[in-house]
C-alpha cells in the first residue's frame, strides 16, 4: 500500500458533539425547541480530554482534528473566556508533545445562541461574518504557537442547506425552493466564502507556515439512469453542492488543501419537481418523503450494505472522489472525515480496510494525499440523536463516560503504525 512519508493517520471530532455543557450554543436551544434528545454532557470530553488523548495514543494516531466551540469561547458578544481558550491551548500542546498533530476546526455546525438572538436570519443578514472573524482572531492568537493546520468551516454546504434550506438545523429556515436564488444569487454562499477568506488571512498572517482549508462533504454521485437528463442533473448537483464554493475559494487563493469528508454514494435523477431540476436521492430524502412517494417520484437507492444511518457503503467512491478533486483543483486532498455508524460493530473493520485501500488506489493513480482521519474517535452526539455509534472507542454514558476500544480500533492502530503497509 503506497502512502507518502508523513501521511497523517488520525481521527476527527467536533466540540459540540463530544465536550458537553455547551448550553450557550444555538444547538442547545434548538434541541429544546424541537424536543430532540439533549446533548447535555455529551461524552464529557471537556473534562476527560486526557482520556481522549490516551485513546489516540492507543490508535498510534499522529493527527487529531477537533473543533473550538465558539459559544464557549465567546459566551456573550465580544466577551471572551480566557480560561476556555487556555484549555484548548493546553490540549493542543499536549497533543503535539505526544507526537499528534492538532488540526483545528473553527466552525463545526454549532454557533453561539446570541448570534441568532441579534439576527434571527443569521447568515442571511449582515453581521455574522464580522462576528466570526473576531472569534477567529482570538482563537488564532491563543493557538498560534501550537496549531499549524486549520479548517475554517466544516461541511459549509451541508450546514447551509440544513440550516437555511431544509430547516433541519438551527435557525430552521426553509429556503429550499429556488435554491439557486436563495443560496447563490442572494449571496449566502458568498458570505461564507468571505468569512473563510478573512479567517484565512488572519491565520496565514499570524502563522506563515499554516495550512488552511474547509472540510467539504463530497458524495460519490451517479446518474440514476443512463440518460442525458440524469447525467446533467448529476453534474448540476455536483456543481452546486461540491464545486461552487471550492471554486470560489480556489480563485481567491485561499485554499491550501482540500478537506474531504466522504461517507457514501447517491444516485441523482433529473426531475422538474425539485430545485435545480435535480432529485438527489439521499437516504434523508427518502425518509422525508416516505418510501412510496420517493419511489413514485423516481428515487433510486443502491443495493449495497448500509450503515446504521442507512447510508450505502461504497468504498471505491472514496478513491473516485479523492482522485477527481485532485485532478480538478491540483491541491492535496486530506480525508478529514470518513467512518460509519455501526452499533453492532460488524462492519467497521471491513469498512476501514476497504476505504483505505480505495484511497491507496487513488494515490497510486497520482493523487496527492495528506492523510486519513476517521470519524470518529469516540461515540458522540449525532445532532439530535444518541443512537448512532461512530466511535473507534465506545463511550458508556451511564458508567462515568468510560471509553472502551470498539470494532476497528485494532486495525486502525495497525494501519497507523505501518503507514498502511499492513494491508498489502
Ligand atoms: C459531520 C459530523 C457528523 C458526521 C456523521 C459529518 O457530516 O461533520 O458532525 O457527526 O458527518 O453524520
Amino acid at each position: 500500500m503506497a502512502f507518502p512519508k508523513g501521511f497523517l493517520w488520525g481521527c476527527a471530532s467536533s466540540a459540540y458533539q463530544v465536550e458537553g455543557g455547551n448550553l450557550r450554543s444555538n444547538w442547545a436551544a434548538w434541541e429544546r425547541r424541537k424536543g430532540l434528545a439533549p446533548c447535555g454532557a455529551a461524552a464529557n470530553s471537556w473534562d476527560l480530554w486526557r482520556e481522549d488523548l490516551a485513546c489516540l495514543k492507543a490508535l498510534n494516531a499522529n493527527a487529531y482534528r477537533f473543533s473550538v466551540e465558539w459559544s464557549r469561547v465567546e459566551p456573550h458578544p465580544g466577551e471572551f473566556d480566557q480560561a476556555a481558550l487556555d484549555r484548548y491551548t493546553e490540549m493542543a500542546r499536549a497533543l503535539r508533545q505526544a507526537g499528534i498533530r492538532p488540526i483545528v476546526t473553527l466552525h463545526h455546525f454549532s454557533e453561539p445562541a446570541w448570534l441568532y438572538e441579534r439576527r434571527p436570519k443569521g447568515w442571511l443578514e449582515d453581521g455574522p461574518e464580522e462576528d466570526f472573524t473576531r472569534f477567529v482572531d482570538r482563537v488564532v492568537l491563543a493557538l498560534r504557537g501550537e496549531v499549524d493546520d486549520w479548517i475554517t468551516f466544516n461541511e459549509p454546504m451541508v450546514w447551509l442547506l440544513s440550516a437555511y434550506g431544509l430547516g433541519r438545523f438551527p435557525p430552521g429556515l426553509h429556503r429550499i425552493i429556488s435554491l439557486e436564488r436563495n443560496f447563490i444569487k442572494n449571496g449566502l454562499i458568498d458570505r461564507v466564502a468571505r468569512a473563510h477568506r478573512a479567517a484565512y488571512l488572519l491565520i496565514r498572517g499570524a502563522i506563515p507556515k499554516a495550512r488552511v482549508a474547509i472540510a467539504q462533504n463530497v458524495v460519490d454521485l451517479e446518474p440514476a439512469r443512463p440518460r442525458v437528463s440524469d447525467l446533467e442533473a448529476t453534474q448540476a448537483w455536483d456543481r452546486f453542492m461540491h464545486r461552487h464554493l471550492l471554486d470560489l475559494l480556489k480563485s481567491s487563493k485561499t485554499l491550501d488543501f482540500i478537506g474531504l469528508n466522504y461517507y457514501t454514494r447517491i444516485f441523482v435523477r433529473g426531475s422538474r419537481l425539485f430545485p435545480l431540476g435535480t432529485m438527489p436521492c439521499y437516504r434523508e430524502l427518502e425518509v422525508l418523503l416516505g418510501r412510496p412517494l420517493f419511489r413514485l417520484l423516481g428515487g433510486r437507492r443502491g443495493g449495497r450494505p448500509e450503515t446504521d444511518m442507512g447510508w450505502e457503503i461504497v468504498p471505491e467512491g472514496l478513491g473516485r472522489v479523492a482522485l477527481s478533486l485532485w485532478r480538478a483543483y491540483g491541491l492535496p486532498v486530506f480525508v478529514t472525515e470518513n467512518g460509519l455508524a455501526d452499533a453492532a460493530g460488524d462492519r467497521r473493520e471491513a469498512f476501514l480496510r476497504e476505504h483505505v485501500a480505495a484511497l491507496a488506489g487513488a494515490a497510486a493513480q497520482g493523487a496527492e494525499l495528506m492523510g486519513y482521519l476517521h470519524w470518529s474517535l469516540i461515540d458522540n452526539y449525532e445532532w439530535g440523536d444518541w443512537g448512532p455509534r461512530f466511535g473507534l472507542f465506545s463511550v458508556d454514558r451511564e458508567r462515568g463516560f468510560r471509553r472502551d476500544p470498539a470494532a476497528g480500533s485494532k486495525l486502525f492502530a495497525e494501519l497507523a503504525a505501518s503507514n498502511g503497509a499492513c494491508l498489502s
Side-chain angles (χ1 to χ4, degrees):
M1 269 308 129
F3 287 103
K5 200 167 163 271
F7 189 78
L8 296 172
W9 293 93
C11 296
S13 71
S14 91
Y16 191 75
Q17 292 175 273
V18 298
E19 283 181 357
N22 282 312
L23 298 174
R24 295 183 195 279
S25 160
N26 62 337
W27 261 91
W30 178 250
E31 286 153 22
R32 287 193 298 274
R33 189 171 134 200
K34 292 284 163 181
L36 300 173
C39 178
N44 198 19
S45 287
W46 187 246
D47 294 326
L48 300 181
W49 65 269
R50 285 188 184 80
E51 295 196 16
D52 294 345
L53 176 55
C55 296
L56 287 159
K57 286 187 190 166
L59 291 172
N60 299 319
N62 60 7
Y64 182 47
R65 173 179 168 225
F66 63 95
S67 75
V68 170
E69 176 62 35
W70 184 358
S71 65
R72 186 189 284 285
V73 162
E74 192 180 359
H76 305 285
E79 247 178 59
F80 289 86
D81 182 337
Q82 192 55 44
L85 283 165
D86 291 346
R87 169 85 58 99
Y88 285 117
T89 310
E90 192 188 354
M91 277 168 56
R93 187 171 303 137
L95 285 164
R96 277 172 88 95
Q97 283 165 356
I100 299 169
R101 205 176 167 87
I103 298 146
V104 167
T105 309
L106 292 159
H107 185 291
H108 196 125
F109 298 166
S110 166
E111 301 178 298
W114 55 254
L115 196 133
Y116 291 90
E117 281 154 18
R118 295 169 126 198
R119 300 180 192 86
K121 289 198 195 134
W123 291 76
L124 289 169
E125 303 179 45
D126 288 332
E129 248 175 276
E130 287 71 26
D131 290 337
F132 180 68
T133 309
R134 186 180 60 213
F135 156 70
V136 173
D137 191 32
R138 292 298 286 258
V139 177
V140 171
L141 195 66
L143 292 179
R144 59 191 294 177
E146 309 296 342
V147 178
D148 294 334
D149 295 335
W150 299 80
I151 300 291
T152 54
F153 286 88
N154 177 69
E155 301 190 352
M157 292 305 299
V158 170
W159 162 58
L160 290 177
L161 200 66
S162 306
Y164 296 95
L166 296 163
R168 298 181 71 208
F169 282 9
L173 301 179
H174 295 265
R175 299 281 163 103
I176 194 72
I177 306 296
S178 188
L179 211 52
E180 207 154 9
R181 175 163 52 77
N182 283 319
F183 280 66
I184 298 181
K185 297 208 178 101
N186 82 357
L188 184 58
I189 298 176
D190 285 336
R191 263 204 188 106
V192 172
R194 280 200 303 271
H196 165 88
R197 184 165 184 273
Y200 182 96
L201 296 176
L202 274 174
I203 297 168
R204 289 288 295 258
I207 314 160
K209 65 174 174 191
R211 301 184 291 191
V212 187
I214 58 168
Q216 185 81 316
N217 181 305
V218 182
V219 176
D220 184 34
L221 302 177
E222 268 188 51
R225 301 159 302 173
R227 291 197 187 169
V228 174
S229 57
D230 287 6
L231 182 64
E232 283 173 357
T234 306
Q235 289 165 344
W237 194 246
D238 188 41
R239 271 197 306 277
F240 176 73
M241 268 313 264
H242 303 151
R243 312 268 171 162
H244 180 76
L245 181 57
L246 287 176
D247 289 347
L248 287 176
L249 304 187
K250 170 93 200 260
S251 68
S252 66
K253 298 196 171 41
T254 56
L255 264 192
D256 298 322
F257 62 92
I258 294 181
L260 161 62
N261 293 0
Y262 174 81
Y263 285 92
T264 191
R265 174 267 308 267
I266 63 157
F267 291 98
V268 184
R269 185 184 168 114
S271 165
R272 270 194 246 131
L273 297 171
F274 288 84
L276 303 178
T278 293
M279 180 186 188
C281 302
Y282 293 100
R283 166 69 168 178
E284 289 72 11
L285 185 66
E286 187 183 21
V287 172
L288 191 79
L289 298 175
R291 187 166 290 178
L293 182 58
F294 177 82
R295 289 272 162 81
L296 189 72
L297 298 175
R300 174 176 172 198
R301 302 273 306 150
R304 298 284 190 95
E306 293 177 354
T307 73
D308 294 349
M309 303 291 281
W311 300 342
E312 264 194 290
I313 300 177
V314 183
E316 68 277 19
L318 174 58
R320 275 198 288 268
V321 164
L323 198 60
S324 83
L325 289 171
W326 159 251
R327 287 186 177 147
Y329 294 96
L331 291 168
V333 175
F334 191 169
V335 178
T336 37
E337 283 183 34
N338 171 243
L340 78 165
D342 175 21
D346 55 7
R347 284 149 291 169
R348 190 173 295 105
E349 201 173 304
F351 180 101
L352 183 57
R353 187 180 314 108
E354 288 162 16
H355 282 77
V356 168
L359 202 57
Q365 290 183 70
E368 190 185 340
L369 304 175
M370 285 168 64
Y372 173 88
L373 304 180
H374 196 77
W375 184 275
S376 183
L377 176 63
I378 53 176
D379 287 341
N380 56 40
Y381 181 67
E382 182 56 29
W383 308 111
D385 196 355
W386 273 110
R389 303 277 169 161
F390 277 91
L392 283 171
F393 283 79
S394 63
V395 174
D396 190 339
R397 300 178 73 241
E398 307 300 315
R399 289 166 64 218
F401 302 93
R402 207 190 127 118
R403 277 94 164 120
D404 284 299
S409 59
K410 196 162 161 281
L411 174 62
F412 187 93
E414 288 165 12
L415 284 166
S418 66
N419 198 20
C422 68
L423 285 190
S424 337

